[in-house]
Amino acid sequence: GFNIPVEISVYSDKSFTFVVKQPPMTDLIKKAAGIKKGSDNPLKNKIGKLTKEQVLEIVDAKIADLNTDDKDQAAKIVAGSCRSMGIEVE
């Protein structure tokens, strides 16, 4: 049920590479929180909550696409995305 990003590289000899990425982080967050879209004003209107365990599940799914291999730093990246959507992390 996700739109999945794909990276296709076509070379001059007509060969190509096809890389399928993980779903966008915001889609994973919305599914975990059970919402359809983020808050219109994330500073004032909180629309959901995620537990630390749910954040770590998202980290496990997205760690290959993030710019870090450290799970604690990746959890901070996910938590920042949650905050920008109006979702609190417990």
Side-chain angles (χ1 to χ4, degrees):
F2 292 113
N3 291 328
I4 299 177
V6 178
E7 185 177 301
I8 301 172
S9 300
V10 180
Y11 303 103
S12 60
D13 63 352
K14 297 185 181 179
S15 64
F16 63 93
T17 58
F18 186 81
V19 179
V20 178
K21 305 266 184 173
Q22 294 295 321
M25 189 180 315
T26 55
D27 289 349
L28 294 173
I29 292 169
K30 288 188 287 188
K31 182 178 179 185
I35 59 174
K36 293 194 181 227
K37 65 177 191 169
S39 175
D40 58 346
N41 189 351
L43 295 176
K44 293 182 180 178
N45 301 332
K46 301 297 180 187
I47 59 171
K49 290 184 180 184
L50 288 182
T51 63
K52 185 72 170 174
E53 291 81 23
Q54 289 174 311
V55 170
L56 291 176
E57 288 175 11
I58 295 169
V59 166
D60 289 337
K62 286 295 289 183
I63 193 110
D65 292 340
L66 296 175
N67 60 356
T68 184
D69 291 332
D70 183 20
K71 285 192 174 190
D72 292 331
Q73 291 300 320
K76 289 180 183 180
I77 293 170
V78 172
S81 294
C82 289
R83 278 191 298 276
S84 70
M85 295 174 65
I87 297 172
E88 294 178 357
V89 176
E90 298 176 340

